[in-house]
Amino acid sequence: MKGRGRRWRHGLLLTAAALYSLFPIYFITVQSLKTAEEDVFGSPLYVADPTFENYTELFAGGEARVRGYVIVPRVPFLLWMLNSVTVFGAAIVVTLVASVLAAYALGRLQPPGWRGWRRVLFATYVIPHTILFIPLYQVIIALGLDDNHLALVLIYPTMAIPFCVWILSAFYRNLPREIEDSALVEGATPWTAFVRIMFPMSRNVLVAAGVFTLGTIGNDFMLASIFLVDPANQTVAAGLGVMDVSLEELLAVAGVNLAAIPVALACAVFARGYVRGLTAAMLEGA
């Protein structure tokens, strides 16, 4: 009986936590399906007459539309989505390549002072990035990359590489040496052994690192709005952040809802690999 009561309590707590977590998504979805009139006079918790007008407006052509007595320019939402995919995809690739090489060097080759370097990496991860805005901006201006996607591709990996190297190096450090030695005995070079044996074995940890990177940079507004000024170059988060919310509130809400879908789908699809990767890294002594 005690065990059954404990399970019921745990179930209720998990249900309450799930409802608490899902409520913002429900609220945003309800708001995005409203007309301007229902947004003002209707209930904030449900929609009586749902419409997809706000979503279709995001992808509508033309240069402007009339909103009451005001002419409002259309937002290039599809272009923002393409920019986001380009920037995030390139940043994730750079993050994973740099993290794998650094983690293999620290965890497998173990150069002098490798334990200290791992501690330094973890310490840099907890430094707030807001204090780095001014020096980062100066560096980007000096490189001539202002208002360029490459600026974010270079900056975003710095937010995720420390954690990714931390978990990957723990995984590589504790893999049995015999696996790699057997390949070397068979005539494989160290690089071949890494690419064909070690790299595939770490796919779950790589998934965890990739999902973590996407979650870290996927909804960034501050950096994107600072380094991308031209609306044609902005990502979704930066573009929606500078919209005139007083005139386009429901349109912005619909855009936020759409922008969250790819990140949510990626986390859902790779959830099992994410958990397995983190568990493997933790069990290996991270």
Side-chain angles (χ1 to χ4, degrees):
M1 294 296 293
K2 290 183 179 180
R4 182 177 299 178
R6 187 180 298 110
R7 285 196 298 270
W8 272 101
R9 287 194 298 271
H10 290 171
L12 289 175
L13 287 174
L14 290 174
T15 302
L19 292 175
Y20 179 79
S21 302
L22 292 174
F23 178 77
I25 301 175
Y26 167 79
F27 182 79
I28 291 176
T29 303
V30 166
Q31 296 302 113
S32 68
L33 296 175
K34 289 183 176 181
T35 61
E37 291 75 16
E38 188 171 359
D39 181 44
V40 176
F41 301 106
S43 170
L45 297 179
Y46 68 90
V47 53
D49 187 19
T51 177
F52 290 96
E53 177 185 354
N54 299 312
Y55 291 96
T56 57
E57 282 293 337
L58 288 173
F59 300 97
E63 297 182 354
R65 68 190 182 100
V66 178
R67 178 70 183 272
Y69 298 99
V70 181
I71 298 178
V72 182
R74 295 190 185 275
V75 297
F77 186 78
L78 184 58
L79 182 59
W80 291 345
M81 290 288 288
L82 293 176
N83 291 339
S84 297
V85 171
T86 302
V87 171
F88 297 156
I92 291 174
V93 170
V94 171
T95 299
L96 292 182
V97 171
S99 299
V100 166
L101 296 178
Y104 188 80
L106 288 177
R108 204 67 176 172
L109 304 180
Q110 296 181 355
W114 65 273
R115 293 183 185 274
W117 281 111
R118 291 190 74 244
R119 294 189 180 97
V120 170
L121 281 171
F122 188 76
T124 60
Y125 170 66
V126 299
I127 296 176
H129 280 78
T130 52
I131 66 176
L132 302 177
F133 284 168
I134 294 177
L136 280 175
Y137 187 78
Q138 292 174 336
V139 171
I140 293 301
I141 292 297
L143 293 175
L145 297 178
D146 52 307
D147 209 8
N148 192 313
H149 290 161
L150 185 57
L152 293 182
V153 174
L154 294 177
I155 292 173
Y156 280 154
T158 65
M159 303 168 61
I161 284 177
F163 180 80
C164 294
V165 172
W166 190 64
I167 63 173
L168 282 165
S169 62
F171 179 80
Y172 286 135
R173 184 175 75 248
N174 289 281
L175 283 178
R177 292 280 180 180
E178 292 78 7
I179 298 175
E180 197 172 12
D181 292 340
S182 61
L184 297 177
V185 170
E186 293 295 330
T189 63
W191 176 253
T192 302
F194 169 72
V195 172
R196 295 191 177 183
I197 299 176
M198 308 298 291
F199 187 77
M201 291 181 65
S202 60
R203 60 182 180 274
N204 284 330
V205 189
L206 289 172
V207 168
V211 172
F212 171 81
T213 304
L214 180 61
T216 301
I217 68 177
N219 294 316
D220 169 68
F221 164 74
M222 292 297 295
L223 290 172
S225 61
I226 290 173
F227 294 105
L228 300 178
V229 179
D230 188 350
N233 291 332
Q234 288 176 332
T235 60
V236 173
L240 294 177
V242 298
M243 288 176 59
D244 190 345
V245 180
S246 62
L247 297 174
E248 302 288 353
E249 176 186 0
L250 299 180
L251 201 64
V253 170
V256 169
N257 213 22
L258 282 180
I261 290 176
V263 178
L265 284 178
C267 292
V269 170
F270 297 108
R272 180 173 297 180
Y274 180 74
V275 173
R276 286 180 176 176
L278 287 183
T279 302
M282 296 304 106
L283 291 178
E284 295 295 347

